[in-house]
Each structure stands twice: as C-alpha cells, then as structure tokens.
Amino acid sequence: MLMPSFPPLAQLETEREFGARHIGPGPEDEAAMLGAVGAASRAALIEAIVPAAIRRGAMDLPAPVGEAAALAELKALARKNRVLKSFIGQGYHGTQTPGVILRNILENPAWYTAYTPYQAEISQGRLEALLNFQTMVVDLTGLPVANASMLDEATAAAEAMTLALRVGRSKATAFFVADDVLPQTLAVIRTRAEPLGLQVVVGPAEAAGEVLAGTPCFGALFQYPGAEGAVRDLRGPIAAVKAQGGQAIVAADLLALTLLVPPGELGADVAVGNTQRFGMPMGNGGPHAAYLACREAHQRSMPGRLVGMSVDAHGKPALRLALQTREQHIRREKATSNICTAQVLPAVVASMYAVYHGAAGLRRIAERVSSYAAALAEGIEQLGWTLAHDTAFDTLTVQTGAQTEALLAHAVELGMNLRRVDAARLGVSLDETTTRADLDALWTVFARGASRPDFDVFEKGVAPRIPAALQRRSAYLTHPVFEQHHSETAMLRYLRKLSDKDLALDRTMIPLGSCTMKLNATSEMIPITWPEFAQIHPYAPAEQRAGYAELDAQIRSWLSEITGYAGISLQPNAGSQGEYAGLLAIRGWQRARGEGHRDICLIPASAHGTNPASAQMVGMKVVVVACDAQGNVDLADLRAKVEQHSAKLAAIMITYPSTHGVFEEGVKDLCALVHQHGGRVYVDGANMNALVGLAAPGAFGGDVSHLNLHKTFCIPHGGGGPGVGPVCVAEDLVPFLPKGADEAVHGEEVGAVSAAPLGNAAVLPITWMYIRMMGGEGLTRATETAILSANYIAARLKDAFPVLYTGGADLAGGGVAHECILDLRAIKDATGVTAEDVAKRLIDYGFHAPTLSFPVAGTLMVEPTESEPKAELDRFIEAMLAIRREIAMVEAGAWGRDDNPLKHAPHTAEVIGADTWPHAYPRSAAAWPLDSLRGGSKYWSPVGRVDNVHGDRNLFCTCAPVESYAA
Ligand SMILES: *Cc1c(COP(=O)(O)O)cnc(C)c1O
C-alpha cells in the first residue's frame, strides 16, 4: 500500500514562513487570547482599539522571503561593497576581534539581547564589564572618572564642549578647536554649537594661547595624537586654556595612550575618544563605544551612564548605575545630556579586549604599530618624500604634491586605501592588523616604479618617533581583572560567569513598556559580522561602499512606506539623536522662512525624558502640556498654550500611541491645531510597534518622527545599545535632514549629527533582514499580535492590578495599545508594598521587571511584544497573580509589612541556604513560590536588593581594590 498523498510540491518548496517564527502565539493561542479579551477576531480587536480616522491601507513592501533566501539576497548586496585594506585612519582602524570575544559576546544572545542595566540585581554581569570599561578608560587617560559609554568620538567631543560650558567659570561663549582635530569631530561640534549660540574658533594647537588672549574661550579641544599624526606636547596649550579659566579637552587614542603621557598627566580636564580599535570592526562607522573621562569635580555634570559600586541589602558589594539624577529620565530639560540608549555592547567588547590582552599585551600591540610606523616613515623618507611631521605614533602625513591622486589610485590598485588629507598630502595610518607585507606594498606605492628602500629595519629595530618627553611612565590596567584572563580558557569562563549573572531575552521575556524587547532573530544577526559589512571604513571611496549605499536606500524606502514620511536619514545613533536631528530640521526650516524666532516646544507631561532634553539642545524652551485623567493630552490645556505661544510656537513633541499606552482619538485635531499656529508636529516613534501597518504618523499629521530600530525593527538592545534612531520628515523638511560630515553645509541646512555619515551602519542589516522576511502583511500581523498580547495581559491581570488608562473599548481589559500600565498605588497605600517591591519580587520568579514608574510613578508598564509565545505570557501572568496573593497575605496581616517576601526580594541562593532564617515566611515561599520554579533551571539573583542611595553618597566608579572583592 502506498501512503496517502503529500501536499502539492509548490507548497513544500517554500521555507517555513519567517513570520510564524517571529510571532510567538500560533493560531490556536490567538483564538484563546481573543476569547479572553472578548474580541471576535484580530481585525475586530484592532477596529475597537485603533481610531478609524488614522487607519491606513496595506503597505507596499516586497513580498517576504524565507531566512535562507533573505540571507542570499543580502549577501549579493553585501558583495557590492569592496573590502580593501584600510590605511585611512581618521579615527577608524583595523583591529583583530579575538575569536573568544567575537563568538561569546558579539554573537552571543546572553550579551546582545540584554536590556540597559536599570534593574541592577539581574545586571551584575554587564555592570561588571562596564566597570572594567570605566577602569580601562580611567587608567589609560589618567583622569579619575569615566562613563560607559558615549555614542561616538565626535558626539562625545560635543558633549564635552557642553560639559565645559556647564562647569566653567568663564562667561565666554567661544570654543577653541585645534585645526588637527578629526574633521568629523569638527563637523559635529559645529552642528551642536550653532543652536546654542556658541562660536567655534579653529586654530593651530600651539597657538591656543594667542588665540585665547584675543578671543576668550570657555573651553578648548585638542586631538592627541593629531589627525595628521603629530604627537604634540599639549602641556603648554592646556595650561594656556586653563589660565584663562577655560576647560581643556583632549580627544585621545586609547592605544596610543599605552605609550604616551596620558591627558590627565598633561593637565587636561576632560578626555574623550573612541574605543573602536579595541576589537570592534570598523563597520562603515559604527557601532563603537566612545568614552568620556573627567576630573572628580565634574562627575556630577558629566553626560551618559556611569556604573558605580554600592552595597546590597546584606551589605555585600553590588554594582548599579550611579548618579542617575543627572540623566534625562529624571532631570528632563535640565539633564546633563539627552543620551538614553548608548553603546553598551561595543563597550563590553572593548573592555574585554583590554581584559584579554592586559597592560603588557596592549603595550606590545602599540609598540608594534608604532615601530611599523617608524619603519614606514624611514623608508618613505629614503624614497625622497617629506613627511609633514617628525613625530608619529601610528599615522604619517606625506607631502605628495602633484602626485597625490596618482599615488592614491596606485594604492587602490594594490588593494589599499590611503587617506587623502588634501590635494597635496596623503595620510597613512597603521594598526594592529598591519604586516611587513603591507609595509612592502606601501613602499611600492611611494617608490613609483623605483625599487623599495634597501635596509632591514626588521632585524635591527627602529627608533620610535615619540618624543621622549611624552613617553609614558605611569602604570595602567594594574587591577587583577586585567591580569587573570589571558588564556582563552580563563577568558571563556569569565565571560560565561558574567553572562550567567544576568537575565536577557535568551532566558525570559523582558516586558519593558516603551522598550519593545522583541525577538532578535539569529538570521537577522548573522550578516553583521560578514567582512563585506564589518571591514569597511566609513570614509573609504564611495564606490567601495556601494553595497552600504544600496542597503541605506532600500531601508529608507521601506521605512518611508511604513511611516508615510517623504525623507529619512539613518545617521542618528539612537532615538535621542533622531529627536535632536528632527528638531534641528524644524528649526532649519523655520529659519529659512524667516521664522527663526520660534523657540517654544510644547511637550506633554507624560513624555519620555529625551524629548525635553533634546529640545533644550536645539535652544528651544520647553512648555509642558497637561494630560487628562484618561491619559490623553489635555486638549483644553493645549488650546490655551498654543494660543498663548502662537507667535513663538516652534513645535509640539507627542508620542503616539501615547506613553500612557492609548491611541488618542483626537490626534489629527491636535496636529491640525498646532499647524494652525505655525508649529510643526514631532511624533516620537518609539511606540511604532503599535502602528506599523495600521497607521502612519506621516499620514495622520506628523511632520517629523524618529524611529528606534533597536525597538520596533529588531536590532538587539545590547545591554543598553547600540541603537539606530532614523529621523523621518515630511517633504518640505527633507532639505534639512543631517548631512554627512564630509558634505558641505549651506544656509540653514543641518550638518552632521554623528561622526559617520551612516551612523551605526553595521547593525542596519538586522533591520533589513526583518523587513525583508516579514513583508507588509507579516509586519502588520506582528503589530496586531503585539496589541492583542498587551490586551490579553490587561484582561487577565485587571482584577488583580487595576489597568491605568484604557481606550474604554468594550473589551475585557478596557482596550489598551501595545502596552498596559498596572497601577500599584492603591496597593502601596493599603499594604506598604511598592511597585519596586513587585519588580524585585519578579526576579525571584525568573522575570525581568516591566518598566518601573514611567510614565507614572508607582506603576509598572508591561509591553509583551508579538514575539512572546502565549505560554510565556501565561507564565508571567501566573507570576503576577501569585505576587498578588502574596500582597493579600500582607494585607490580611499574615505577613508583616516589613517582613514579607516582597520587601526582601530578590532572594539570593546564599540567603536561602544560610543556616539561619530570620523571616516569618518560609524559605520555600521565598525561593519556590510556584512549583514551576522547581526542577533546576531557576534563576538566582547574584546579589540582594541594591542600595542606590549608598552608592551615590559613596561614589566609586572603577574596579575596587582586591580586598573589597574578597569581602
Ligand atoms: C526609548 C525611547 C526614546 C529614546 O530612544 P533611545 O534610542 O533610547 O535614545 C524616546 N522616546 C520614547 C518614548 C522611548 O521609549
């Protein structure tokens, strides 16, 4: 007997649809969830929740393909990039990512799917890695405090400029920039300075004293070594700046600092720079972690995230983010910067590169690079060329005169890119990957047909071109962490030990409202380390970057279809930077129309902290608009405020659906009202996961939006970055999108907002793969499922925890968007149990907490995303219901207000296994409140609840002395 027939071949030939892998709930789950919510179908649910007035038609995107086909298509595109050996330098260098770091950090979901370490207890691993990063930067720069991390060197320099403005005693509004600062750094500084009314004065580093005597400056920026390779003694210029009451900032190369007297010892107040060459591929410009280090006196004014030591509830050392009251999420327009998502994953890579090589290893690499540079210099001089400088670390500038273009072209023929400094000079930068064969090839270029120099520097050695007065004597990286992991076995285990301390998406859902912690599919991640994407210099000739250009164009056209906007730039490195670029576009447009006096930015009370912080950076004044009891923008208050500020209204920044998790019915009216008064509407696109395929902000009244590709479009959160924050604008604002640092800026056009023209280019393949594999229908189904999942959670939890703000639809949970806010304020009043206690107790149940106290204090905001299977949603719901029963025990007086498993959460294994147990509740209730937690895979928090206040009072932000680790 033959078997009954198989399905038709045409059906079997296609791969399993990727959408069904990305979206967690299957058809049966969906039916059950719809039943719980009380909706007849997914379509009926969406109709009840999303206002009809803003609904859009189907998206016109390419039909989806499966994982293998998408990878093949992207590979063909990637091959349009040409990988040449880069000697361009200019802040981007070849580097060897150690295999153990590549596979176990960059390609490891335990690291790349983690969230920003706000919940310190489940983040001790990445916090330790970041503390190592800070220690590395502190040691190498010779300054006592460093953050983790900045977005790129150019924005770090711009942040240092505004830091200098904040802390300085000087009343001056001019800022000195040395003329050998990296060109992209100067471009970004110019962009930043202009809206703040600051003047940028450029001159030779040596002339800083004379310039400042004529034009008082609040600060000055120097490059060390200079962009053209000179290793200058900056003590004089730094002293001149400080003598005038200004702050001295040095942008320094960390590899060079293993050999050079560090900025701190030269007298600098602030040091900034990039850590790219510590193991992160060039990636066409990013992502890489930049750094900022400063004097202790400035630490409370410094931008960015800072990791510090504190203690846990048991008095043991524990790490957490320090001095958060500086940051935008608390300080809003008075924050020290608008940075939210930073570059954590690249910072972890850089720190581990230093851990793996140690001080001696890094020094050896630097000595080799520097020796090769000296040898190359000698040979080039023998060939009859003149060098621009007689000092060098890794970079030479050759006076090539009329030969410049011919030499450049010859180098390309031999597979090498040199830097075209200007029409008469070429730059050559060496790095860790440089070989003798490379030197030979370079000599061949400069020999122009003659024979290469006839000496053998390799055997007899060569004198470095570093001035004796600048040779570093001080020690660095002396902490044991930089000495104990030099074997691959030790390194592998150290990385595993750290990642085991943390909760990431590879172990549990991370239901963080506003953050959209969805699947980061492996197929999406694979292309980012392909050499055709990874080994590209951002300022390589355009024809070598044709693949990136196509990637950029395709993603922009797809996002344009998705958002309804006419023009998009992928340059901003995070949502905050997209906000900044978007507001600059509005400002540029208004100035071009002679309406430069418009400077009022309306922002609802519920806005994310980056919104007011970004408005402040473009010189706008923030006016807060109230929200009503339903969580909507209070239209009466809005009307009053637009009337009052009509003549000076620049913009409103709204979030849609709102950060309260509701689709405001009146959004079109709101946009129209602002337009009537001459303002433009900024729609914060962080909640785009509730809109894709259902509504387009560019179509319902928005003029500008940023997207967060690391939220809606699958770039992993990386433990706090990298991100990509595309800025999307309406037709008339297109001329005001940011230019690349290598492009000219005219009139009111907007210059560079990132160091690299395509920002964090190397992670863009992730978003490309997602959209390519999902197609229009798949993306729409993802949005609908995200909304269904949030409504399912709201419906199942609403009797235990009231859901704040609903659309009031005729549904079991009242109808929320893609996230819901659980209100714990009444519980706190009745029992003393806080939202934070619940967040920490969830750790004992194996979960990462939802967003705590944003946008409303005393609440938890839950965003499940479409990727979580129903079984995981149910596990979360069971945990929350069990916690509610625990709260009931406190309410009933069975457990004391101060002695219950909520107040003492999270419970460490050490506490559970201790010989004494001081609590009124049993150990089993603390550790295994649900039977499903038994059986061996339970997550144990490595520390008890972390004391934030203690850490801020006793600030300690580098690796502690060994004794305190032993404690
Ligand atoms: C995440 C977020 C931002 C900021 O984006 P980053 O990429 O973290 O800089 C802005 N607004 C809202 C509503 C957000 O959720």
Side-chain angles (χ1 to χ4, degrees):
M1 264 249 307
L2 292 172
M3 282 175 69
S5 67
F6 291 150
L9 199 51
Q11 273 179 31
L12 294 171
E13 277 167 351
T14 52
E15 277 187 78
R16 189 190 155 111
E17 184 211 348
F18 173 75
R21 301 277 190 208
H22 175 84
I23 296 174
E28 282 164 27
D29 300 325
E30 185 180 297
M33 289 159 69
L34 285 166
V37 170
S41 64
R42 220 168 60 222
L45 172 76
I46 299 306
E47 207 168 300
I49 286 177
V50 184
I54 62 164
R55 287 295 298 274
R56 65 170 296 159
M59 294 185 292
D60 183 14
L61 293 172
V65 293
E67 296 176 52
L71 282 169
E73 195 178 317
L74 188 57
K75 191 74 184 183
L77 190 155
R79 289 213 173 98
K80 295 180 184 173
N81 290 326
R82 277 188 66 206
V83 182
L84 267 61
K85 187 117 196 189
S86 172
F87 297 93
I88 300 171
Q90 204 182 318
Y92 304 93
H93 304 272
T95 178
Q96 254 138 21
T97 312
V100 65
I101 290 176
L102 177 75
R103 178 155 296 181
N104 298 290
I105 299 176
L106 209 50
E107 298 177 344
N108 181 351
W111 287 97
Y112 69 68
T113 69
Y115 180 65
T116 308
Y118 285 126
Q119 294 292 325
E121 296 81 1
I122 51 97
S123 311
Q124 291 295 305
R126 53 194 185 272
L127 285 165
E128 181 170 327
L130 293 176
L131 192 75
N132 293 346
F133 178 88
Q134 291 175 182
T135 306
M136 167 187 93
V137 172
V138 160
D139 279 13
L140 290 175
T141 59
L143 284 161
V145 197
N147 68 9
S149 55
M150 304 300 283
L151 292 160
D152 59 30
E153 177 163 337
T155 53
E159 298 278 352
M161 172 180 74
T162 52
L163 168 67
L165 188 63
R166 277 194 299 280
V167 302
R169 290 167 283 135
S170 165
K171 290 275 169 288
T173 56
F175 184 68
F176 177 85
V177 180
D179 59 7
D180 63 347
V181 157
L182 298 174
Q184 66 271 20
T185 298
L186 179 59
V188 169
I189 283 188
R190 285 193 194 284
T191 309
R192 285 277 184 102
E194 192 273 328
L196 299 175
L198 306 176
Q199 297 86 49
V200 178
V201 183
V202 180
E206 286 88 350
E210 287 156 51
V211 174
L212 266 67
T215 314
C217 292
F218 65 87
L221 173 69
F222 305 99
Q223 190 89 38
Y224 184 62
E228 270 98 67
V231 183
R232 286 203 177 83
D233 193 336
L234 294 172
R235 288 177 184 103
I238 288 172
V241 175
K242 295 173 72 160
Q244 316 257 345
Q247 304 291 316
I249 303 161
V250 173
D253 179 325
L254 286 189
L255 189 64
L257 294 187
T258 63
L259 303 180
L260 301 181
V261 173
E265 292 174 27
L266 296 175
D269 301 290
V270 184
V272 295
N274 196 356
T275 65
Q276 178 265 320
R277 72 193 309 176
F278 280 22
M280 273 304 284
M282 289 182 286
N284 195 27
H288 316 128
Y291 72 82
L292 187 149
C294 65
R295 303 204 166 283
E296 250 156 35
H298 299 343
Q299 66 194 11
R300 281 166 205 274
S301 303
M302 86 188 307
R305 300 230 164 86
L306 185 64
V307 175
M309 265 296 177
S310 187
V311 293
D312 74 357
H314 317 293
K316 302 243 164 93
L319 297 163
R320 83 314 158 223
L321 293 176
L323 301 183
Q324 290 194 49
T325 48
R326 297 166 299 119
E327 292 191 50
Q328 44 73 28
H329 63 100
I330 295 176
R331 197 60 68 80
R332 306 180 79 82
E333 70 267 25
K334 297 198 178 63
T336 54
S337 99
N338 70 339
I339 296 180
C340 180
T341 294
Q343 301 274 26
V344 169
L345 195 68
V348 172
V349 167
S351 77
M352 290 305 170
Y353 179 93
V355 165
Y356 197 42
H357 287 297
L362 290 183
R363 193 180 170 93
R364 208 172 140 265
I365 293 170
E367 284 176 349
R368 188 175 72 230
V369 170
S370 194
S371 295
Y372 273 145
L376 179 69
E378 229 172 285
I380 287 178
E381 281 171 340
Q382 263 194 35
L383 289 166
W385 301 98
T386 307
L387 297 176
H389 305 286
D390 51 11
T391 57
F393 163 63
D394 64 350
T395 299
L396 310 174
T397 295
V398 190
Q399 316 274 20
T400 45
Q403 307 276 338
T404 305
E405 304 302 331
L407 291 167
L408 205 53
H410 188 198
V412 169
E413 272 168 36
L414 298 185
M416 301 183 290
N417 285 320
L418 309 184
R419 176 172 173 229
R420 189 184 179 285
V421 178
D422 53 37
R425 295 184 302 163
L426 284 179
V428 189
S429 274
L430 307 186
D431 59 50
E432 187 193 3
T433 68
T434 305
T435 61
R436 283 190 193 189
D438 293 329
L439 294 200
D440 261 327
L442 289 165
W443 281 325
T444 304
V445 171
F446 285 99
R448 286 168 300 160
S451 54
R452 89 178 208 25
D454 62 341
F455 64 89
D456 198 350
V457 288
F458 301 113
E459 299 312 321
K460 67 176 168 54
V462 55
R465 299 202 167 204
I466 295 170
L470 289 175
Q471 278 177 27
R472 180 168 188 152
R473 312 245 175 262
S474 53
Y476 47 84
L477 307 187
T478 53
H479 188 274
V481 76
F482 298 106
E483 286 168 6
Q484 289 166 347
H485 309 294
H486 296 174
S487 80
E488 183 164 333
T489 302
M491 187 67 185
L492 179 70
R493 290 186 186 142
Y494 181 53
L495 294 177
R496 177 64 189 258
K497 185 181 104 179
L498 292 189
S499 60
D500 275 357
K501 292 185 180 187
D502 288 10
L503 272 186
L505 278 175
D506 61 337
R507 285 208 261 192
T508 169
M509 73 187 288
I510 302 185
L512 281 163
S514 215
C515 302
T516 314
M517 299 293 290
K518 58 162 70 172
L519 171 75
N520 316 117
T522 309
S523 290
E524 293 157 5
M525 293 298 294
I526 283 172
I528 68 166
T529 44
W530 287 347
E532 296 92 334
F533 285 131
Q535 308 298 345
I536 301 289
H537 190 287
Y539 293 105
E543 63 274 12
Q544 294 174 26
R545 292 181 283 120
Y548 264 114
E550 200 170 316
L551 183 78
D552 176 34
Q554 281 185 7
I555 292 176
R556 283 187 293 113
S557 82
W558 296 343
L559 293 179
S560 200
E561 173 64 18
I562 290 167
T563 57
Y565 285 109
I568 295 179
S569 164
L570 304 180
Q571 189 185 113
N573 282 336
S576 63
Q577 309 301 297
E579 291 174 21
Y580 171 65
L583 293 173
L584 281 179
I586 293 175
R587 182 174 179 275
W589 177 82
Q590 281 165 344
R591 284 162 66 92
R593 291 159 46 97
E595 298 193 341
H597 62 282
R598 291 186 176 271
D599 66 351
I600 298 290
C601 188
L602 302 177
I603 300 184
S606 63
H608 194 266
T610 50
N611 292 185
S614 300
Q616 176 275 329
M617 288 169 67
V618 302
M620 291 185 186
K621 297 190 182 69
V622 174
V623 173
V624 177
V625 184
C627 290
D628 66 17
Q630 284 79 48
N632 296 316
V633 172
D634 181 336
L635 285 177
D637 190 46
L638 176 68
R639 238 171 248 120
K641 299 240 155 93
V642 291
E643 298 285 349
Q644 184 190 342
H645 299 288
S646 186
K648 297 195 76 184
L649 184 62
I652 186 169
M653 295 182 90
I654 58 167
T655 304
Y656 201 81
S658 74
T659 52
H660 286 153
V662 287
F663 284 100
E664 295 172 67
E665 290 281 345
V667 68
K668 281 186 108 166
D669 301 336
L670 181 155
C671 296
L673 182 64
V674 171
H675 287 153
Q676 274 163 31
H677 289 269
R680 304 300 302 252
V681 178
Y682 189 105
V683 181
D684 181 322
N687 288 345
M688 198 67 201
N689 212 45
L691 292 181
V692 176
L694 302 181
F700 64 67
D703 300 304
V704 188
S705 286
H706 77 265
L707 303 174
N708 304 69
L709 299 191
H710 46 300
K711 294 178 181 173
T712 315
F713 295 95
C714 294
I715 292 176
H717 221 87
V724 177
V727 51
C728 316
V729 298
E731 190 84 54
D732 56 349
L733 295 172
V734 173
F736 304 95
L737 284 173
K739 295 268 181 300
D742 51 354
E743 290 176 89
V745 181
H746 306 284
E748 301 301 337
E749 286 174 358
V750 176
V753 299
S754 300
L758 199 50
N760 281 342
V763 290
L764 291 172
I766 301 167
T767 291
W768 188 97
M769 285 290 289
Y770 176 58
I771 299 176
R772 189 69 193 88
M773 295 191 295
M774 291 294 277
E777 271 177 47
L779 289 172
T780 308
R781 185 151 60 90
T783 308
E784 292 174 354
T785 308
I787 293 175
L788 172 60
S789 296
N791 278 278
Y792 175 66
I793 287 182
R796 297 258 337 252
L797 289 182
K798 71 169 194 314
D799 294 335
F801 303 97
V803 175
L804 192 62
Y805 310 129
T806 65
D810 188 17
L811 296 164
V816 296
H818 65 312
E819 56 196 10
C820 62
I821 299 179
L822 305 176
D823 192 351
L824 282 91
R825 291 173 297 186
I827 286 175
K828 183 185 169 204
D829 291 344
T831 66
V833 173
T834 66
E836 185 180 11
D837 295 333
V838 173
K840 301 305 180 194
R841 182 61 175 151
L842 273 166
I843 297 171
D844 287 335
Y845 285 82
F847 283 100
H848 189 294
T851 297
L852 178 62
S853 288
F854 172 79
V856 182
T859 66
L860 293 173
M861 180 158 60
V862 183
E863 179 181 359
T865 84
E866 72 279 7
S867 294
E868 292 304 332
K870 177 169 176 292
E872 182 71 354
L873 302 180
D874 289 337
R875 195 170 76 89
F876 176 72
I877 290 164
E878 290 314 320
M880 288 299 287
L881 294 176
I883 288 173
R884 187 64 188 85
R885 291 193 294 273
E886 292 174 352
I887 296 171
M889 297 278 281
V890 181
E891 222 163 359
W895 287 337
R897 275 180 162 238
D898 296 321
D899 189 23
N900 59 64
L902 291 132
K903 282 290 168 204
H904 294 297
H907 296 82
T908 62
E910 221 173 304
V911 162
I912 297 296
D915 293 332
T916 53
W917 179 254
H919 303 298
Y921 55 97
R923 282 184 164 96
S924 58
W928 296 280
L930 289 175
D931 273 342
S932 55
L933 291 165
R934 295 178 190 273
S937 65
K938 181 184 156 70
Y939 169 78
W940 292 101
S941 170
V943 295
R945 198 174 302 185
V946 178
D947 184 340
N948 281 317
V949 178
H950 174 94
D952 279 357
R953 285 216 192 102
N954 309 277
L955 202 63
F956 209 88
C957 300
T958 54
C959 293
V962 205
E963 310 84 73
S964 73
Y965 274 114

